[in-house]
Each structure stands twice: as structure tokens, then as C-alpha cells.
Amino acid sequence: MSIHSAGVAPERVCDDRIVIDDVPADDDESTRPVESIPAVGLGAPAGEPYDWFRRGTELLQQGNAAAAAELLSWASRAEPGALSIREALARAFYDSRRFEDSAREFRAITQAAPDDDYAHFGLGLSLWRMRQFPMAAEHLAVAAAMRPDREAYGRALRQVRATLSAREDAGLPAIGSPDESAEFPPAAS
């Protein structure tokens, strides 16, 4: 499921979001820019960060999430406090199945703007894909409480809670491991 197939906020990327220039620089992984992308300068795409953002969001809307993530990473590196860029980058990472990167970007947004319901939703979906079900449920519950009118928020929360209940009934830990078999219930050993 694409993060914007839930019917929420693809257009939010182009709205007049507040850009926070003084995002706290701490050692928390969630606030670091993508480290695999070289510093802006040598090898940077043509144009300015805003151009990269616009082209990246166009690529994302066209379904080319991997290319969008690459371009939006450059924009995020140049403008780390621009939450609209980070949101677009998080969505591109999610749609590229880079869930840890997506979670990191959405987490940074929730820390800078705790009232951003969409960031909590995106973080919850990313954590869900990473099999971090309790934390996913927490962020999805926050999003659903903030915006009870968003059906996708409540639906995702119900699904994660059902997964937690099924795992408990099967005697599985609440947090899944990446190497868990897709077989459910697990085969007896």
C-alpha cells in the first residue's frame, strides 16, 4: 500500500508549511540527514533546493518513488529544517520500501511538529512495516485522535491492533523480527 493511497495529503507537500530553521541539532538518529548523500556541491543536481523539491514531488506523484527519494535527499540535505521537504522525502522512502529511512524522517517531523497528524500516521505505517507493532499502534492512535475524520488513520490503527491481538493469541512477541517466516501460525518445531 502506498502511503498516499490512503487518500490523505499528497497535496500537502505543496502547501504553505512552516519551515523551521532552528531544528535542534542533537545526536538522535531521527534528526540526522540522510548520510549516504554527499554534501550539496560537487555532483549536486542542476538547480536549487526548491527545484529539487518540486521535481522530486512530481516524480513521487508519477509513481517513481526511488528517483524522488534520491532528488529529495539532496533537497533535505540542503534544507534540513524544511518539514515539507522531509515529509515528501519520508513518503518517497516509504513508497520505495525503505521503511527505516521513512520512519527516521517522519520521526524528525513529529519531534519538530508534535501536532502534525500526518507525520504520526506516516511514522505509524513505517513502524508497522518494520514489525514494530506497539510503537506503530501508539503513533497511529495519536494520528487517529488528532483527526478522527480521517478514515485511513482509524483503519490502520484497527489493523495494527488486530495484529497485536493475533500475535498475543499465537504466543508471539509483540515486536516481530525481520527474519520471521510469513507462515502464520508458525510451524511447530
Side-chain angles (χ1 to χ4, degrees):
M1 169 168 92
S2 166
I3 197 162
H4 43 277
S5 69
V8 289
E11 70 282 355
R12 288 187 47 194
V13 175
C14 298
D15 69 5
D16 294 328
R17 301 284 303 264
I18 298 171
V19 175
I20 299 176
D21 292 326
D22 57 349
V23 174
D26 59 32
D27 289 330
D28 184 346
E29 241 180 56
S30 66
T31 59
R32 289 188 203 147
V34 177
E35 294 174 9
S36 63
I37 304 300
V40 172
L42 184 62
E48 299 294 320
Y50 181 74
D51 301 321
W52 305 336
F53 170 70
R54 296 289 295 174
R55 288 196 330 249
T57 56
E58 288 170 10
L59 287 167
L60 186 59
Q61 290 172 350
Q62 294 167 0
N64 196 341
E70 185 69 25
L71 200 51
L72 291 165
S73 292
W74 282 96
S76 181
R77 183 82 166 197
E79 301 288 339
L83 298 184
S84 56
I85 293 173
R86 290 192 95 148
E87 179 182 292
L89 178 58
R91 290 176 39 234
F93 282 148
Y94 185 90
D95 287 355
S96 298
R97 303 186 56 79
R98 293 174 58 182
F99 303 121
E100 289 180 20
D101 292 329
S102 177
R104 182 190 60 245
E105 294 300 321
F106 278 125
R107 185 173 287 112
I109 297 168
T110 63
Q111 290 172 347
D115 61 340
D116 189 327
D117 61 284
Y118 186 76
H120 283 283
F121 175 65
L123 179 53
L125 290 181
S126 299
L127 292 166
W128 182 10
R129 293 295 190 154
M130 294 166 52
R131 307 178 71 75
Q132 303 294 310
F133 304 114
M135 288 300 296
E138 181 179 317
H139 285 282
L140 291 169
V142 169
M146 294 171 108
R147 292 294 305 268
D149 59 314
R150 300 277 177 146
E151 290 180 31
Y153 293 8
R155 187 173 46 253
L157 176 59
R158 286 188 301 277
Q159 289 175 338
V160 168
R161 286 181 172 163
T163 298
L164 280 167
S165 177
R167 291 183 71 81
E168 183 180 345
D169 291 347
L172 295 171
I175 297 175
S177 65
D179 60 341
E180 260 181 12
S181 168
E183 185 180 339
F184 189 82
S189 31

